[in-house]
């Protein structure tokens, strides 16, 4: 006979594009009893169609009264602070989608609430759980390309605007940069703190959904001195990510188009080629596993509130330079 698994009470707040993915994967777990919350009935119905849901709510305050142990905040970023603070004050472990908040003042209030609570707080920078980004991090840590001096990274993601269940990205000022703090997060993870940012922005292209800006190009300098150019747009469809990092002993290339991490050393042929293809769900499942493990062992989350705050500060220093 299978041993009885004690179910954790989890609540997903915000059942839009990413909330439905979190809910689907959490609802499939044997060790989770899932509730969901969204003010839009269709989003609740679509979520419940995809996975096993115990209870559903339209108001997160009512949902928190049912005493979940874990809350997953998947609403637009302008609501992260209010929901995160309410959840922490009710004694719940919080997983909050990135970015930490839509502005530094709200993010500071989350930090204060996390400090006052003794609850776990994790932020959903999911690229850190992917095979591709873990592989690159491990190669950098092993100094396979020596010390990084510079590089180029890019991101294109028009589908983000198409897949969203609300107009949150169209309404959020600087949404391209705030949404793709993913790129700032992984660069800080790879290379350490950022010391300077400069950039340019534009609203371009014949596209139906057009935010201002929808094209950003910038340069980040790290405390190590390394200089990275970062290009982002809400134009490319299908979207893509690419990375080229240059060290004093070689280069690393990665693109989501090929799903290969390729290392070059002192020859024209690759020194190493690593296949990093995987199902998109894998990194989210790993993110959930790590969050639950962290709550049990009382260890820090991989990306905690302070770490995500530093990423948001870098994003706002870039936004200030664009203004
Ligand atoms: N980690 C990732 O890869 C990833 C991917 C996409 C989005 N995100 C982040 O997740 C968040 C949501 O993005 P999305 O693309 O799913 O947006 P979305 O517009 O598709 O979904 C937002 C959902 O929140 C709901 N909502 C609004 N107000 C609410 C409230 N008061 N209570 C409960 N629900 C409420 C909306 O009805 C909608 O269903 C954003 O912060 C975004 O940056 C992260």
């Amino acid at each position: 006979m299978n041993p009885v698994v004690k179910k954790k009470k989890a609540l997903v707040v915000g059942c839009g594009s990413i909330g439905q993915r979190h809910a689907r994967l959490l609802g499939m777990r044997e060790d989770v009893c899932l509730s969901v919350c969204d003010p839009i009935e269709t989003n609740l119905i679509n979520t419940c169609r995809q996975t096993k849901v115990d209870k559903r709510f339209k108001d997160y305050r009512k949902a928190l009264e049912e005493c979940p142990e874990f809350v997953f905040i998947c609403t637009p970023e302008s609501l992260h602070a209010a929901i995160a603070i309410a959840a922490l004050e009710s004694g719940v472990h919080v997983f909050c989608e990135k970015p930490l908040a839509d502005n530094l003042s709200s993010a500071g209030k989350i930090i204060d609430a996390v400090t006052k609570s003794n609850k776990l707080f994790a932020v959903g920078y999911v690229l850190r759980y992917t095979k591709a980004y873990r592989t690159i991090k491990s190669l950098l840590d092993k100094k396979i390309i020596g010390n990084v001096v510079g590089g180029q990274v890019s991101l294109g993601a028009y589908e983000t605007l198409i897949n969203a269940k609300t107009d949150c990205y169209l309404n959020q000022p600087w949404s391209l940069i705030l949404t793709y703090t993913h790129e700032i997060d992984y660069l800080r993870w790879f290379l350490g703190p950022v010391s300077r940012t400069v950039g340019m922005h534009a609203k371009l292209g014949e596209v139906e959904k057009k935010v201002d800006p929808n094209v950003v190009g910038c340069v980040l300098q790290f405390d190590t001195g390394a200089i990275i150019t970062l290009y982002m747009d809400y134009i490319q469809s299908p979207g893509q990510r690419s990375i080229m990092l240059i060290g004093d002993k070689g280069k690393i290339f990665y693109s989501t188009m090929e799903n290969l991490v390729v290392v070059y050393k002192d020859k024209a042929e690759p020194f190493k080629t690593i296949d990093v293809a995987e199902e998109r769900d894998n990194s989210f499942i790993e993110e959930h596993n790590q969050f639950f493990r962290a709550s049990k062992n009382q260890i820090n989350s991989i990306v905690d509130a302070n770490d995500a705050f530093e990423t948001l500060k870098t994003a706002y220093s870039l936004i200030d330079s664009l203004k």
Side-chain angles (χ1 to χ4, degrees):
M1 228 170 56
N2 285 340
V4 179
V5 181
K6 186 181 172 304
K7 292 199 185 247
K8 312 177 223 304
K9 280 178 78 180
L11 166 71
V12 171
V13 180
C15 298
S17 169
I18 202 69
Q20 289 186 23
R21 184 182 290 271
H22 282 295
R24 174 171 56 77
L25 297 171
L26 288 165
M28 276 162 45
R29 293 178 68 115
E30 270 194 17
D31 60 345
V32 165
C33 172
L34 180 67
S35 295
V36 293
C37 169
D38 198 292
I40 301 177
E41 181 66 19
T42 342
N43 294 348
L44 284 176
I45 292 170
N46 288 338
T47 308
C48 296
R49 268 201 200 117
Q50 296 173 54
T51 202
K52 211 160 100 215
V53 171
D54 184 40
K55 289 188 181 158
R56 50 178 161 171
F57 301 88
K58 291 214 163 149
D59 181 337
Y60 72 84
R61 294 170 203 87
K62 286 262 168 288
L64 287 174
E65 282 171 15
E66 299 277 314
C67 302
E69 299 160 80
F70 300 91
V71 86
F72 291 75
I73 301 173
C74 305
T75 60
E77 39 264 32
S78 55
L79 297 170
H80 288 183
I83 301 171
I85 294 166
L88 290 164
E89 286 175 352
S90 347
V92 184
H93 295 302
V94 176
F95 173 94
C96 179
E97 262 306 342
K98 45 49 59 176
L100 182 57
D102 61 332
N103 65 73
L104 290 174
S105 156
S106 296
K109 289 179 187 154
I110 297 181
I111 299 280
D112 291 344
V114 174
T115 312
K116 276 191 213 134
S117 76
N118 62 351
K119 294 293 151 186
L120 181 68
F121 194 94
V123 183
Y125 282 110
V126 70
L127 293 177
R128 294 212 199 185
Y129 298 86
T130 60
K131 199 170 163 190
Y133 287 73
R134 284 183 162 177
T135 300
I136 298 171
K137 170 71 173 152
S138 146
L139 292 168
L140 293 173
D141 287 350
K142 288 182 192 138
K143 297 262 175 211
I144 199 140
I145 60 163
N147 295 310
V148 175
V149 300
Q152 285 176 4
V153 307
S154 80
L155 165 279
Y158 184 64
E159 274 103 350
T160 297
L161 306 183
I162 301 296
N163 293 339
K165 307 291 182 215
T166 66
D167 280 343
C168 61
Y169 300 103
L170 304 178
N171 299 332
Q172 173 63 55
W174 303 102
S175 90
L176 178 58
I177 296 173
L178 293 177
T179 299
Y180 288 102
T181 45
H182 272 302
E183 319 310 293
I184 297 174
D185 171 69
Y186 80 68
L187 285 169
R188 289 185 51 251
W189 186 44
F190 288 170
L191 304 176
V194 176
S195 52
R196 285 179 70 195
T197 53
V198 286
M200 290 179 207
H201 62 106
K203 186 179 179 187
L204 298 170
E206 297 282 319
V207 283
E208 192 193 322
K209 300 211 172 199
K210 202 162 174 176
V211 302
D212 190 9
N214 61 358
V215 178
V216 168
C218 58
V219 183
L220 308 179
Q221 184 161 36
F222 292 77
D223 283 3
T224 59
I227 296 172
I228 304 284
T229 61
L230 164 60
Y231 167 83
M232 298 184 267
D233 72 49
Y234 269 148
I235 302 286
Q236 294 175 73
S237 177
Q240 66 85 36
R241 283 195 153 96
S242 71
I243 299 179
M244 176 187 59
L245 294 173
I246 302 166
D248 50 13
K249 305 265 182 305
K251 291 187 251 197
I252 294 177
F253 287 84
Y254 165 66
S255 155
T256 48
M257 298 291 203
E258 284 96 31
N259 273 314
L260 298 173
V261 171
V262 187
V263 181
Y264 288 87
K265 300 277 278 181
D266 49 0
K267 298 198 171 61
E269 302 77 47
F271 169 77
K272 217 182 224 303
T273 301
I274 305 160
D275 183 345
V276 290
E278 65 180 334
E279 290 294 325
R280 184 153 184 238
D281 279 349
N282 286 2
S283 48
F284 289 91
I285 293 169
E286 195 42 50
E287 191 173 50
H288 296 162
N289 287 340
Q290 206 282 338
F291 178 57
F292 289 132
R293 270 199 304 268
S295 73
K296 220 154 119 195
N297 306 330
Q298 299 184 322
I299 53 171
N300 280 341
S301 16
I302 288 198
V303 187
D304 63 17
N306 288 316
D307 198 352
F309 191 46
E310 289 306 313
T311 290
L312 196 63
K313 280 206 281 198
T314 302
Y316 267 97
S317 99
L318 171 59
I319 290 168
D320 286 344
S321 88
L322 296 177
K323 283 179 185 164

